[in-house]
Amino acid sequence: VTGASTIGTGTTVTSTTGTINFTNTVGNVGKIGTLSGNLLFTNVLTNTGEIHVGSGNASTTGALAAFNNNTGGTLFLETGHTTSTVDMNNNGGTINGGTGTLDLSNTFTNTSGVFTALGSTLVLSGTTSLTLPAYTYYNLIAGKTSSGTVTAGGAIGVGGFLTVSDSTKFEMNGSTLTVTGATTIAGSTSVTSTIGNLLFGGALTSTGNVSST
């Protein structure tokens, strides 16, 4: 779709196995979904309806793109893989994790939004440093390269496993990190806290740096 798209209330746009490619702005107050196909957004996506990833892939990428999940909007990760190389703004919307994967390589902001982790995995990739919103996640993989920094925006909970890899600097910034499952901290990475607590409920395997001062 090359023109600007508006998906109205009560309207559904779906794909079973193919790819829906939106190259211009998309405003969604209806439903956009796929069973096992792909969704590609290369411009600004503003969602106040529902987006269902299914078991396929949804991507937001490009110099003009941004993903705005606004009040009334819900992103259902389901069992699929959602990748965003642009700003991910949860502006009062809801992210429903399912058992899917959300892979973010740019900023992740939250303004009164909801993140329901369920059995999902959040991957923080790329080189851009970001502030991680204060949610309870399920599985969390922080794999920033070029010494990218993940700074906690508040208390962070991890209900599953935590993996800190590549050259990530994971800074709790005085907030508490609570991990229920296993934690793996690779060499050349660090997990630090100034006055907050680092609470590891499962096995901790570290060849990197863990410190609380």
Side-chain angles (χ1 to χ4, degrees), residues 11-193:
T11 303
T12 301
V13 177
T14 60
S15 174
T16 51
T17 59
T19 298
I20 304 176
N21 184 1
F22 297 95
T23 62
N24 210 313
T25 57
V26 177
N28 177 49
V29 295
K31 294 181 180 180
I32 302 174
T34 176
L35 293 177
S36 59
N38 302 310
L39 301 172
L40 178 61
F41 304 92
T42 55
N43 209 304
V44 176
L45 167 61
T46 301
N47 180 49
T48 54
E50 297 181 7
I51 297 177
H52 295 260
V53 180
S55 62
N57 296 291
S59 300
T60 52
T61 186
L64 300 176
F67 190 160
N68 300 313
N69 194 42
N70 293 346
T71 301
T74 302
L75 169 63
F76 293 90
L77 300 181
E78 296 172 335
T79 62
H81 194 116
T82 301
T83 303
S84 179
T85 63
V86 299
D87 295 341
M88 177 71 180
N89 305 309
N90 198 27
N91 301 320
T94 297
I95 299 173
N96 189 302
T99 57
T101 298
L102 178 61
D103 188 339
L104 305 178
S105 59
N106 212 304
T107 61
F108 182 19
T109 61
N110 174 59
T111 306
S112 302
V114 175
F115 188 101
T116 304
L118 299 176
S120 62
T121 299
L122 174 65
V123 179
L124 306 175
S125 58
T127 61
T128 302
S129 296
L130 60 80
T131 298
L132 183 63
Y135 289 128
T136 295
Y137 302 92
Y138 190 65
N139 297 321
L140 176 59
I141 300 173
K144 290 290 182 182
T145 57
S146 300
S147 298
T149 301
V150 176
T151 303
I156 300 295
V158 180
F161 67 76
L162 169 65
T163 298
V164 183
S165 61
D166 296 305
S167 55
T168 304
K169 296 178 180 178
F170 197 108
E171 298 180 354
M172 287 307 300
N173 202 29
S175 298
T176 296
L177 170 67
T178 305
V179 183
T180 302
T183 299
T184 302
I185 301 170
S188 75
T189 69
S190 63
V191 176
T192 60
S193 180

